[in-house]
Amino acid sequence: LQPRLRLKALGPHVVAAVAPLAGGEPAFASGTDPAVPASTMKLLTATAALETMGPEKVFTTSVVRSGSRRITLVGGGDPYLASKPAPGSYPPRADVATLARLTAERLSGEGVGKVRLAYDAGLFEGPALNPHWPASYVGDAVVSPISALWVDEGRDAGGFARVGDPPARAAEVFAAALRRHGIKVSGTPRPASPAADAQAEPVVASVQSAPLAEIVAHVLDVSDNDAAEVLARHVGIASGGAGSIEGAQAGIATTLGALGVPLGGSALYDGSGLSRDDRLTSSALLTVLQVAASADHPELRPVISGLPVAGFTGSLQWRFGDAPMAARGLVRAKTGTLTGVHGLAGVATDRNGTDLAFVLIADNVAPEQALAARAALEREAAALGACRC
């Protein structure tokens, strides 16, 4: 295993480690100091989400009565709630157009043709934007303000730019759909009163997300920052804390610690890896992969099966072009990319059929070396699939 790691030429700080996926200490490790993980952080968020909520968990968006002619759209933290039906999408999306149709049918059947609309995004607490992110992220369409109620992950009608108030936009889209189904909506949708107890109100209609296992698989496959941050907030709630930035950090750390993941030396500031203040050790990432693959934790299997496949799917679809062909289909990995940071953390099956967990991160790469760094990481990951280790 030792000797093909030539990543040091790409910068002063490189972390590399390989271990049996079945468990045990690394067979090779170099650069044990914590590294900036970038999106490999999503492996921790996905694992904590599945452990705290289970793979069958779904997120419900509902409409409840809050008066004889007042209804409230209540966000349940569905990361993939859509503005309109999206047949054939994976994972399947719930959408507010369908929710509006179901709501209109119920209201019309009760003789109600005009309502006032409020919206409730109170499931999550605290700032919508992480203070450890650059302030430019929303304007640059990197991430949306994180909310328990949004449509299209907080994007505008064009599908790219991020809106400043995702819950308000979700309510506006829902109101427009209600009107198309013959229900008049008076005035502009307003935030629900903090004192309102939506859970105690009668439900008019609801829609549900895909199961968490499918959501996790998609988050890892395409490296979805927005959805990862929503899942992190859910971990905060499911672990007994709050759906806040701090609650997410504490919930992920507590959950992974209980699974035996060594987090000493690590620093978790978000769920997506967008923060350059995040730090992870190779042992933390290796252990997450080993635990997720363990027969003792079948609920975590989507962390492994959801990884992109080298040269075929997700964020690795167009990569590994210059790596040995043996790697295609035999290497699955979560990518991690920020300016100056390039990483892969995943699994490989060698020529003997041995499953390996590996971590390769270079986090101080000169901008002009970005493509070379990616190619070097791919060659080293491919070498594991091509060797008889």
Side-chain angles (χ1 to χ4, degrees):
L1 295 177
Q2 293 260 26
R4 302 202 57 229
L5 290 164
R6 299 178 293 273
L7 299 176
K8 281 291 185 184
L10 299 177
H13 188 223
V14 177
V15 171
V18 182
L21 186 61
E25 294 299 313
F28 172 81
S30 174
T32 55
D33 292 340
V36 178
S39 282
T40 62
M41 176 67 77
K42 294 183 178 72
L43 292 169
L44 278 68
T45 301
T47 300
L50 288 165
E51 179 65 14
T52 56
M53 293 178 280
E56 299 303 316
K57 170 71 175 180
V58 296
F59 305 110
T60 301
T61 307
S62 59
V63 176
V64 301
R65 287 195 185 280
S66 46
S68 60
R69 298 195 179 266
R70 185 184 298 271
I71 58 175
T72 301
L73 175 64
V74 183
D78 180 351
Y80 290 129
L81 183 68
S83 57
K84 59 186 177 182
S89 63
Y90 184 85
R93 264 76 160 166
D95 67 274
V96 294
T98 297
L99 181 59
R101 175 179 58 78
L102 296 172
T103 301
E105 290 172 357
R106 175 73 177 272
L107 293 174
S108 297
E110 297 176 358
V112 177
K114 184 177 181 179
V115 295
R116 288 188 175 275
L117 175 64
Y119 58 90
D120 181 354
L123 182 64
F124 296 165
E125 303 174 19
L129 295 174
N130 195 307
H132 290 271
W133 296 341
S136 62
Y137 270 4
V138 173
D140 291 343
V142 174
V143 69
S144 296
I146 305 306
S147 175
L149 175 62
W150 64 18
V151 292
D152 307 330
E153 295 189 278
R155 293 177 173 85
D156 66 6
F160 182 73
R162 308 309 178 107
V163 300
D165 191 344
R169 168 162 166 71
E172 290 165 0
V173 173
F174 176 71
L178 275 180
R179 294 183 181 107
R180 289 195 297 272
H181 288 286
I183 302 296
K184 296 180 180 179
V185 180
S186 300
T188 302
R190 301 293 184 186
S193 167
D197 184 6
Q199 299 301 320
E201 302 288 353
V203 175
V204 177
S206 64
V207 291
Q208 292 185 328
S209 72
L212 179 59
E214 296 181 21
I215 293 173
V216 161
H218 189 69
V219 167
L220 295 177
D221 189 41
V222 303
S223 200
D224 190 325
N225 294 316
D226 302 277
E229 291 298 334
V230 170
L231 293 184
R233 302 277 185 122
H234 278 298
V235 172
I237 296 169
S239 58
S244 63
I245 295 169
E246 294 78 10
Q249 294 164 3
I252 292 171
T254 299
T255 301
L256 295 178
L259 287 170
V261 177
L263 292 176
S266 296
L268 316 181
Y269 289 103
D270 64 12
S272 61
L274 283 174
S275 172
R276 302 184 76 88
D277 296 328
D278 289 329
R279 294 292 186 274
L280 286 181
T281 61
S282 60
S283 59
L285 283 165
L286 286 175
T287 306
V288 164
L289 292 165
Q290 290 172 328
V291 170
S294 168
D296 295 334
H297 295 283
E299 75 280 4
L300 303 181
R301 194 64 187 181
V303 173
I304 302 299
S305 60
L307 291 171
V309 181
F312 285 100
T313 65
S315 59
L316 292 184
Q317 182 175 3
W318 306 114
R319 293 183 57 173
F320 283 76
D322 296 329
M325 288 297 292
R328 292 176 176 251
L330 295 180
V331 173
R332 307 177 71 107
K334 181 69 204 74
T335 52
T337 306
L338 292 169
T339 301
V341 181
H342 302 274
L344 292 172
V347 301
T349 303
D350 75 2
R351 298 291 294 278
N352 292 327
T354 303
D355 292 322
L356 305 168
F358 68 89
V359 177
L360 299 166
I361 299 175
D363 67 359
N364 198 351
V365 179
E368 63 271 17
Q369 287 281 64
L371 294 179
R374 285 174 35 149
L377 292 171
E378 291 161 10
R379 286 194 300 271
E380 301 308 331
L384 296 174
C387 78
R388 296 186 182 276
C389 301

